[in-house]
């Protein structure tokens, strides 16, 4: 299993408050085609050449003192079609570590692409939470754009 981590210089409560809003995913992930309808967040996705909408829900579960599990789930027709989660670990009152596990069960090529994409996304999230803005180099922007297009056009 690959384990990705990043340290973020922000208090746990601020990080969780930011993460619990699925609409914020458009600011730091490849999930950019998001829509809010009646206080729910939806992502436009392509399935067999048809654009469909999947509701994204976020669940935050305290695991133990100083650690929370954050899970994003995509629902279509009332069923979970995708799930992504990570741990928020409080290192100090002003700093947390995010930890993401990438299982070995994912095919190698897809898994390697996911690791690259998630590392870039975590870097953006760190910048947003620490500075309220971010910069990204052209190579990383291109990787994210290509992955985003695969989500929408496959």
């Amino acid at each position: 299993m690959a384990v990705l981590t990043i340290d973020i210089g922000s208090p746990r409560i601020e990080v969780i408050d930011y993460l619990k809003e699925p609409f914020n995913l458009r600011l730091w992930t490849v999930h950019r085609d998001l829509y809010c309808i009646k206080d729910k967040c939806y992502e436009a996705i392509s399935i067999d050449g048809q654009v469909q909408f999947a509701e994204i829900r976020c669940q935050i579960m305290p695991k133990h003192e100083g650690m929370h599990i954050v899970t994003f789930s995509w629902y279509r027709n009332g069923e979970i079609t995708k799930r992504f989660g990570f741990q928020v670990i409080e290192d100090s009152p002003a700093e947390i570590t995010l930890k993401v596990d990438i299982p070995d069960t994912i095919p190698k090529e897809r898994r390697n692409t996911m690791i690259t994409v998630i590392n870039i996304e975590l870097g953006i999230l760190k910048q947003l939470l620490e500075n309220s803005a971010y910069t990204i180099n052209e190579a990383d922007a291109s990787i994210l754009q290509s992955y985003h297009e695969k989500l929408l056009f496959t």
Side-chain angles (χ1 to χ4, degrees):
M1 178 174 308
V3 179
L4 311 178
T5 61
I6 193 160
D7 295 324
I8 298 176
S10 295
R12 178 178 43 92
I13 191 72
E14 288 179 20
V15 172
I16 289 175
D17 282 348
Y18 186 82
L19 292 175
K20 74 181 179 185
E21 298 298 331
F23 200 60
N24 287 338
L25 287 169
R26 75 193 196 294
L27 301 174
W28 63 279
T29 74
V30 296
H31 302 282
R32 299 178 188 160
D33 290 316
L34 303 182
Y35 302 86
C36 274
I37 303 168
K38 296 183 181 179
D39 294 329
K40 292 183 179 179
C41 183
Y42 296 88
E43 180 176 23
I45 56 174
S46 175
I47 298 173
D48 298 327
Q50 299 285 324
V51 175
Q52 297 185 19
F53 291 88
E55 181 184 355
I56 304 172
R57 299 179 195 166
C58 179
Q59 183 177 22
I60 312 248
M61 298 176 293
K63 183 87 171 174
H64 55 71
E65 186 62 34
M67 180 181 176
H68 288 73
I69 305 295
V70 177
T71 306
F72 291 98
S73 302
W74 281 252
Y75 289 80
R76 278 188 310 108
N77 302 322
E79 302 213 0
I80 295 174
T81 58
K82 178 172 32 176
R83 181 175 279 158
F84 176 79
F86 47 91
Q87 300 171 20
V88 178
I89 304 162
E90 187 174 52
D91 298 322
S92 72
E95 186 172 281
I96 60 97
T97 296
L98 283 183
K99 179 180 171 190
V100 180
D101 297 327
I102 310 294
D104 292 334
T105 55
I106 298 170
K108 186 177 181 177
E109 185 177 332
R110 182 168 180 242
R111 186 171 176 263
N112 289 340
T113 301
M114 286 178 67
I115 289 168
T116 299
V117 167
I118 292 168
N119 272 321
I120 296 167
E121 291 173 335
L122 291 176
I124 292 170
L125 180 63
K126 174 182 176 71
Q127 289 181 68
L128 285 170
L129 289 169
E130 291 179 352
N131 306 319
S132 300
Y134 71 89
T135 60
I136 185 170
N137 66 48
E138 277 188 49
D140 287 351
S142 178
I143 290 168
L144 293 182
Q145 184 62 31
S146 294
Y147 198 85
H148 167 72
E149 288 171 4
K150 281 184 189 177
L151 288 176
L152 188 57
F153 299 115
T154 57

